[in-house]
Amino acid sequence: MTRLPGTYESYWMETAEGPRHPGLTDRLEVDVAVVGGGIAGICTAWELVRAGRSVALLEADRVAAGVTGYTTAKLSAQHGLIYAQLRKSFGAVGARQYGRSQQEAVEYVERVAAELGIDCDLERLPGYVYAESTEAVDQLKAEADAAREAGLAASFVTDTGLPYPVAGAVRVEGQAQFHPRKYLLALVADLVGRGGKVYERTRVVSLDEGEPCRLTTEAGAEIVARDVVVATHYPVFDRALLFSRLEPHRELVVAATVPADRDPGGMYITQEQNTRSVRTAPYGENQRLLIVTGEKFKPGVGEVGERYERLAAWTEERFPFARITHRWAAQDNTTTDQVPYVGRFHPGARHVYVATGFGGWGMSNGVISGQLLTARITGEELPWTSLYDPRRLHPRETSSLLKVQGSVLKHFVGDRLRASHVDSVEDIAPGSGAVVRVGGRRCAVYRDESGTAHAVSARCTHLGCLVHFNDAERAWECPCHGSRFDTDGSVIQGPAVRPLEPRPLPGEAGACD
């Protein structure tokens, strides 16, 4: 793999340092425990505190530093080619509810930022979904009609601000982009100022759905709460069996400086070329930061380094005046009917709620989650409550559900039938990793730059699929449900909550054989 361009760090993480919050060590009682400190968890906790509830926000690492810290931060109701599909699956009423709820989330963030005086680089711009192929024009026109019927200010256009021609695009007015960490860290500060509790480095590992509910952390602390919200991106508890209805995917991001007068003036996305998304952000005097996303893939599948190289090459070809400065990656989960799950966790749940399946549009959906879940917990109901209800199941989901489960089964069984990913530990080059069979047991082995090999169990601690190595991000990833682990086995991203167990190497006591 050649040297990848840019610093491997999210621009949002680099430019918004947040205060540290303590870990939870004692027993705690609150009205509501919110598990997960991303945009959905933060917005929910903030709304609940404003509604007069005592709230604890529990984050396994740092707030707004997981998936939320690595987004492209489009705050939009324009979610690609979705409204024609929604009209077919949920009817015209369902499509309008989706459009209205998403657009209201955009307006809501602008109002809250003004109310709290948050300087989060918020800009109102049009959103575009475009195609370069003339074969896609009819589909784009149909999408423009469906989006307009759903209540958005949508139109079909052939001119955009991109520096290359397009065959057509759906333009939606009144969308937004912002700095997500600047906005969310301000919400956290206001939450704490109103008496809410925030605990970082507090990984929740178990849930008892009694009355009251009881949560236990990795460190053994107990949280007692009347209501619990699971906002951990991919739910860390499997009792709702949502893992059978969620498909994880990753997308890569490169960011580059461009002259301010070359700003394309909008937010753009195409499904062509395995997705390309383009937007800019303020970046010093007379410059903008061009943020390009694409190369969608399932965690643990494919050569990630090569994907970064393709994305960087596309950026430099289409924007020859750009200079790449950063790169990072984002992960999200898509539901089998393309609408997020926000509401009661499962059919029998009385006091446990979930927010997941944002499909790459976490900014607007995270805001919606806070409003929807707060309404449910305080005894209210929004017009789109049933649309997002996790307990729904539409006939149109069946084929997608079978596809998701077929992919999981392929990895769960197929990866075990492979003799090995490499022949021996000695074959692993410095800076790379592979799954190696030693004495009948599979080890996930990473060799660091100094040449020292580190081995952990190759079985994901979620449901037992075999992990694969991500060569560009140097992480172990589960191709079944998207759990990610550091090279030492520690959890980077759920649904797994337990680390990969260390494994001695051949020649060491208790080795992999």
Side-chain angles (χ1 to χ4, degrees), residues 285-305:
E285 189 175 355
N286 299 322
Q287 284 190 315
R288 300 281 292 181
L289 190 70
L290 179 75
I291 300 170
V292 179
T293 310
E295 293 297 314
K296 184 181 292 187
F297 63 101
K298 290 196 66 175
V301 178
E303 296 296 326
V304 182

Side-chain angles (χ1 to χ4, degrees), residues 28-81:
L28 177 69
E29 292 191 24
V30 289
D31 294 333
V32 188
V34 179
V35 186
I39 187 168
I42 291 171
C43 288
T44 302
W46 182 72
E47 296 280 2
L48 285 164
V49 166
R50 294 217 310 173
R53 299 299 194 269
S54 63
V55 179
L57 179 64
L58 310 164
E59 167 55 39
D61 193 6
R62 299 296 187 193
V63 295
V67 172
T68 295
Y70 293 83
T71 175
T72 50
K74 292 180 179 179
L75 181 61
S76 176
Q78 201 264 18
H79 296 171
L81 299 173

Side-chain angles (χ1 to χ4, degrees), residues 23-29 199 217 220-223:
L24 180 64
T25 56
D26 301 321
R27 187 176 184 274
L28 177 69
E29 292 191 24
Y199 297 97
T217 73
E222 182 184 58
I223 304 96

Side-chain angles (χ1 to χ4, degrees), residues 65-385:
V67 172
T68 295
Y70 293 83
T71 175
T72 50
K74 292 180 179 179
L75 181 61
S76 176
Q78 201 264 18
H79 296 171
L81 299 173
I82 192 171
Y83 286 96
Q85 179 180 327
L86 288 175
R87 186 170 58 184
K88 184 181 296 184
S89 300
F90 293 88
V93 172
R96 281 196 296 272
Q97 288 177 338
Y98 187 89
R100 180 182 166 196
S101 62
Q102 299 290 331
Q103 187 62 39
E104 285 196 7
V106 177
E107 310 299 336
Y108 188 71
V109 169
E110 185 174 46
R111 291 198 303 272
V112 170
E115 175 189 333
L116 299 183
I118 304 172
D119 181 6
C120 58
D121 299 335
L122 191 144
E123 299 174 315
R124 299 301 297 266
L125 294 165
Y128 298 81
V129 54
Y130 73 91
E132 296 178 64
S133 168
T134 56
E135 286 78 10
V137 167
D138 287 345
Q139 186 180 20
L140 290 171
K141 289 180 176 178
E143 176 65 20
D145 290 341
R148 191 164 49 250
E149 184 182 332
L152 302 184
S155 60
F156 174 80
V157 299
T158 54
D159 293 326
T160 73
L162 292 169
Y164 50 89
V166 303
V170 181
R171 173 175 169 141
V172 179
E173 309 295 342
Q175 305 311 294
Q177 57 190 23
F178 71 144
H179 193 306
R181 275 180 58 83
K182 288 181 180 180
Y183 178 77
L184 292 170
L185 291 175
L187 286 196
V188 171
D190 192 62
L191 169 106
V192 172
R194 294 172 183 268
K197 306 294 184 182
V198 178
Y199 297 97
E200 296 182 321
R201 299 289 167 86
T202 301
R203 185 179 298 280
V204 174
V205 296
S206 69
L207 165 64
D208 178 350
E209 291 190 54
E211 294 191 21
C213 299
R214 296 177 185 274
L215 296 160
T216 306
T217 73
E218 190 175 44
E222 182 184 58
I223 304 96
V224 180
R226 182 181 185 276
D227 295 294
V228 171
V229 173
V230 181
T232 54
H233 189 247
Y234 199 117
V236 294
F237 307 112
D238 290 330
R239 62 201 65 189
L241 300 182
L242 290 184
F243 63 83
S244 66
R245 301 170 67 196
L246 290 169
E247 184 171 23
H249 63 266
R250 289 183 72 71
E251 289 183 286
L252 306 182
V253 184
V254 296
T257 58
V258 297
D261 61 2
R262 309 300 290 271
D263 185 348
M267 298 173 290
Y268 300 85
I269 189 167
T270 179
Q271 294 179 348
E272 295 174 337
Q273 300 169 303
N274 194 20
T275 306
R276 292 293 185 265
S277 169
V278 176
R279 63 156 288 197
T280 65
Y283 193 82
E285 189 175 355
N286 299 322
Q287 284 190 315
R288 300 281 292 181
L289 190 70
L290 179 75
I291 300 170
V292 179
T293 310
E295 293 297 314
K296 184 181 292 187
F297 63 101
K298 290 196 66 175
V301 178
E303 296 296 326
V304 182
E306 292 179 7
R307 294 179 184 276
Y308 264 121
E309 291 169 9
R310 284 199 295 270
L311 190 62
W314 184 90
T315 301
E316 291 167 343
E317 175 194 352
R318 298 305 180 91
F319 300 88
F321 41 83
R323 299 292 177 264
I324 294 176
T325 58
H326 300 74
R327 70 179 190 277
W328 67 88
Q331 184 160 320
D332 214 332
N333 309 297
T334 301
T335 69
T336 47
D337 63 10
Q338 310 300 305
V339 174
Y341 299 136
V342 185
R344 293 191 189 275
F345 199 5
H346 54 81
R350 299 184 62 188
H351 296 286
V352 180
Y353 303 83
V354 70
T356 188
F358 297 159
W361 302 99
M363 299 298 97
S364 58
N365 280 307
V367 174
I368 287 169
S369 296
Q371 297 171 322
L372 237 173
L373 295 176
T374 297
R376 295 303 303 267
I377 290 170
T378 57
E380 301 176 19
E381 187 164 307
L382 299 181
W384 36 83
T385 297

